[in-house]
Amino acid sequence: MTNWEPVLLANVNRPNSEKIDTYLRYGGYEALRKALKMTPDQVTAEVKTSEIRGRGGAGFPAGVKWGFMPKDAPVKYLAINTDEGEPGTFKDRLIVERDPHSILEGVIIASYAIGAHRAFVYIRGEFFLGVKRWIKAISDAYQKGFLGKNILGSGFDLDVSVHRGAGAYICGEETAMLESLEGKRGVPRTKPPFPAQKGFWGKPTLVQNCETLANIPHIILRGGKWYSSIGTEKSKGMKIFCISGHVNSPGNFELPLGTPLKEIIYEHAGGVRKGRDIKAIIPGGSSTPFLTAEKINTPMGFETLQAAGSALGTGAIIVMDETTDMVEVVRRITRFYVHESCGYCFPCRIGGQRMLSSLERLAGGKGSKQDIEDLEYVAKGIYGRTFCPMGTGMAEPVLSGLRLFRPEFEMKTAKN
Amino acid sequence: MNTKKEFKSPVGGAIVDPAKQSMMLAALYIAQEQNGYLTKEAVQQVAKRLGMTPGDVYSTASFYSLFRMKPVGRYVIQVCEGISCYLNDGAERVADYVSEKLGIKLGETTRDGMFTLETVQCLASCGTAPAMRVNDQLYENLSPAIIDDILERLMGEV
């Protein structure tokens, strides 16, 4: 097992890790000092060199996204996505609760690079401790002169405020999040225009996940080249992998992208409980397709997981042992997406309900072969045909469940 | 054509101020604190303060699961029913255990108004499953003994 020196999680286990004094004692805000001496374009160029891709699930190159922000617009915003809600994912909560300043430093650097003077933190309503930690971190940063007017004498101004969501998974989608920030129902917007053109209050807005932003200080301090030397060809840098389910030591592990799934499960997470075999693995949060145990050597990267038939998503690994009832797993995941559908477009709203009805019959032993056919038909109908990516995320577990574990679904109909 | 019309709210006819509207979720949280749920009067008050109609406010509030339209108990117990809690003998098992202890079904409130029992979607505690929440406190790595402790302590606080 390779033991990597943690980058993002270097602070989290220190006593009082959330406090500004602790953060400063271990080199906190040094990257900000360095960035403010660079030009905004130099900062963006460094982030482009690092080749870091967004950590919120979609994996869009962050530097490219920053480059989309118009230079001549007088008013621009940064919106920070802390609306972590994808089942299996618990990394953002850890950073926000234990090391909020690492994100905040990234926020200030990113705002400086894109020329934003106002940043909005959008945090999941359920994260009570996270809300407190964000507010405390921001107010301490104001006191130390890292926020407000003329930050560290650079002439750059930035104000940051915290906004609580109120229990809607869809608000993690960037345009739905902007709607929610504006005090509306969290329904995704038509794209284009993209947020970089028309975002919050119609102004150019950069939306970035908080794990992505926590990487920025390290990229600035150690250089984009250092960052891009870690990882695989198309997946650079360190990543927090959340691992849960039937493993001996679940938790968050920070490892380079490209670390094989097998190493994460058997060496870092202590292997499968009771020495059982693996039946299925979800590699990137509940909207990513299942993998079977034979794909266990797949490196955890964007392109490698795609080649294996799944996706990196949020890097949230859920392990299911040989005793797991896959029909029940698919039913449970589907119920989540049906519950969280915003109801705006019909494939997701009605299709989701149809799938759930079939799955409930099947899981309850009352389903028929027709239910399996219906399930497949409806899932294919939803896939790629919804307004936002959630519909596809809802169809993926059903389609991959049927593809890999069809005999289990059929067994459930044996009596009928 | 009167260009001002384009900016009118579809229901109320008042021009909505985007800065005020952005305060909606924060205002609803404050309004909910009073009674634990959004009363008709609270919604009207929010609408008045934000320069919108009660209909506009209901439309937004009803989208979000953390805003309630009905009274709840002093302590709202929310059991996570996510995939990782299920794989760790949580979810329904925890909900059923609490349900039996308190003598209420899901969605119900105890007669003394102390506890309401609900299930919720993933609480981002998958690495420390099973989990549940009581008001703003998160409880992780639950076992029957831990649940007993939590409930006894809350009952003792009366």
Side-chain angles (χ1 to χ4, degrees):
Chain A
M1 175 166 77
T2 335
N3 273 316
W4 286 79
E5 194 194 327
V7 176
L8 298 168
L9 301 184
N11 273 331
V12 296
N13 291 323
R14 291 185 171 127
N16 301 314
S17 62
E18 76 281 8
K19 299 218 160 78
I20 195 162
D21 291 337
T22 315
Y23 189 65
L24 287 168
R25 198 176 310 136
Y26 295 97
Y29 290 103
E30 284 306 315
L32 175 64
R33 286 178 206 279
K34 187 177 173 186
L36 291 173
K37 287 183 191 122
M38 298 159 73
T39 67
D41 284 349
Q42 282 171 331
V43 174
T44 304
E46 207 60 52
V47 175
K48 276 186 185 161
T49 306
S50 77
E51 294 177 57
I52 181 173
R53 294 169 66 168
R55 303 298 197 230
F60 194 82
V64 177
K65 209 175 185 182
W66 294 20
F68 286 157
M69 291 293 285
K71 289 203 170 36
D72 49 355
V75 180
K76 285 174 260 189
Y77 299 115
L78 173 69
I80 300 102
N81 193 340
T82 322
D83 197 43
E84 179 172 65
E86 174 92 351
T89 317
F90 47 98
K91 64 187 176 67
D92 294 348
R93 185 165 79 90
L94 175 76
I95 322 176
V96 170
E97 289 180 359
R98 304 260 199 93
D99 198 11
H101 286 283
S102 69
I103 312 169
L104 188 55
E105 190 175 4
V107 168
I108 308 167
I109 296 170
S111 300
Y112 174 71
I114 61 167
H117 299 291
R118 193 81 173 76
F120 304 95
V121 173
Y122 187 87
I123 179 164
R124 211 179 142 180
E126 287 90 341
F127 288 180
F128 288 91
L129 182 60
V131 172
K132 278 187 201 160
R133 293 277 158 93
W134 255 126
I135 292 171
K136 173 77 176 137
I138 290 168
S139 69
D140 286 350
Y142 268 105
Q143 280 205 338
K144 300 265 182 193
F146 300 129
L147 285 174
K149 296 262 177 253
N150 191 20
I151 294 167
L152 300 173
S154 65
F156 174 67
D157 307 334
L158 178 67
D159 287 305
V160 184
S161 53
V162 179
H163 303 264
R164 276 180 77 188
Y169 166 78
I170 190 62
C171 292
E173 196 279 337
E174 59 178 8
T175 60
M177 188 184 101
L178 294 173
E179 286 287 297
S180 186
L181 265 178
E182 290 182 3
K184 300 171 187 164
R185 294 166 70 90
V187 175
R189 295 175 180 174
T190 316
K191 289 195 266 190
F194 290 92
Q197 300 157 284
K198 269 184 118 174
F200 184 68
W201 288 347
K203 306 289 187 222
T205 305
L206 173 68
V207 184
Q208 203 86 84
N209 167 267
C210 60
E211 185 191 349
T212 317
L213 288 163
N215 276 286
I216 302 301
H218 304 286
I219 291 171
I220 295 301
L221 268 186
R222 304 197 212 180
K225 284 224 171 73
W226 161 77
Y227 198 83
S228 68
S229 71
I230 305 167
T232 69
E233 198 194 333
K234 288 181 177 158
S235 310
K236 305 295 192 189
M238 302 295 278
K239 174 84 187 80
I240 303 173
F241 296 107
C242 322
I243 179 161
S244 67
H246 293 142
V247 287
N248 283 312
S249 320
N252 281 303
F253 299 94
E254 185 188 2
L255 295 161
L257 279 167
T259 303
L261 202 40
K262 189 177 181 178
E263 184 187 321
I264 302 176
I265 296 171
Y266 284 97
E267 294 177 32
H268 298 281
V272 182
R273 270 184 223 157
K274 297 177 188 161
R276 284 177 177 153
D277 287 334
I278 293 174
K279 183 186 272 186
I281 307 160
I282 293 173
S286 65
S287 65
T288 59
F290 296 103
L291 294 174
T292 51
E294 63 193 50
K295 299 281 171 106
I296 196 147
N297 289 313
T298 310
M300 288 290 287
F302 292 99
E303 73 283 16
T304 44
L305 278 165
Q306 206 178 349
S310 191
L312 181 67
T314 56
I317 302 161
I318 306 171
V319 176
M320 289 152 271
D321 72 19
E322 56 190 310
T323 67
T324 312
D325 177 351
M326 292 311 291
V327 180
E328 170 55 22
V329 167
V330 174
R331 183 195 72 85
R332 189 168 293 264
I333 294 174
T334 304
R335 189 181 54 181
F336 170 79
Y337 289 104
V338 169
H339 183 268
E340 295 300 325
S341 172
C342 80
Y344 179 77
C345 62
F346 77 88
C348 176
R349 181 182 70 236
I350 300 170
Q353 290 287 357
R354 282 279 304 274
M355 292 199 303
L356 188 58
S357 312
S358 293
L359 282 164
E360 274 171 354
R361 278 194 294 272
L362 287 165
K366 294 196 173 114
S368 63
K369 292 224 157 51
Q370 188 62 42
D371 278 315
I372 300 177
E373 277 168 37
D374 279 357
L375 195 57
E376 192 163 26
Y377 177 78
V378 177
K380 281 181 180 163
I382 300 172
Y383 190 92
R385 290 191 176 86
T386 48
F387 199 64
C388 82
M390 183 160 146
T392 298
M394 175 192 273
E396 291 276 27
V398 173
L399 289 171
S400 71
L402 284 171
R403 195 169 57 240
L404 300 170
F405 307 105
R406 198 170 188 112
E408 277 197 43
F409 285 79
E410 282 165 354
M411 282 223 326
K412 295 269 187 187
T413 68
K415 282 187 211 152
N416 306 307
Chain B
M1 195 185 134
N2 179 4
T3 51
K4 258 192 177 174
K5 244 184 181 167
E6 289 172 33
F7 298 101
K8 282 188 176 180
S9 144
V11 189
I15 296 166
V16 175
D17 175 352
K20 277 190 179 171
Q21 188 172 9
S22 297
M23 299 310 292
M24 175 79 85
L25 269 59
L28 287 170
Y29 271 120
I30 296 167
Q32 184 162 268
E33 256 173 40
Q34 316 281 322
N35 296 295
Y37 73 106
L38 291 168
T39 59
K40 205 176 166 186
E41 293 71 30
V43 168
Q44 282 168 346
Q45 191 66 21
V46 170
K48 203 174 153 193
R49 294 288 288 270
L50 300 185
M52 298 167 80
T53 66
D56 293 336
V57 176
Y58 266 121
S59 162
T60 304
S62 60
F63 186 85
Y64 296 95
S65 62
L66 292 186
F67 296 129
R68 306 167 178 286
M69 305 298 169
K70 284 181 193 154
V72 282
R74 182 167 154 192
Y75 297 108
V76 181
I77 300 171
Q78 297 182 312
V79 179
C80 179
E81 58 175 10
I83 173 81
S84 296
C85 282
Y86 161 71
L87 295 173
N88 284 286
D89 295 331
E92 283 80 6
R93 291 208 192 183
V94 170
D96 288 348
Y97 186 79
V98 178
S99 168
E100 202 169 303
K101 281 218 79 145
L102 296 178
I104 47 170
K105 289 189 200 127
L106 282 177
E108 290 181 352
T109 303
T110 50
R111 276 200 185 166
D112 58 2
M114 276 287 283
F115 297 101
T116 299
L117 178 63
E118 297 177 343
T119 55
V120 280
Q121 301 303 330
C122 187
L123 288 173
S125 300
C126 316
T128 40
M132 71 178 194
R133 217 172 59 149
V134 183
N135 293 357
D136 56 3
Q137 187 65 48
L138 181 67
Y139 297 96
E140 301 172 294
N141 296 311
L142 295 174
S143 65
I146 294 174
I147 298 170
D148 288 349
D149 272 1
I150 297 165
L151 294 180
E152 270 161 38
R153 197 167 40 75
L154 293 175
M155 284 172 186
E157 272 177 22
V158 189

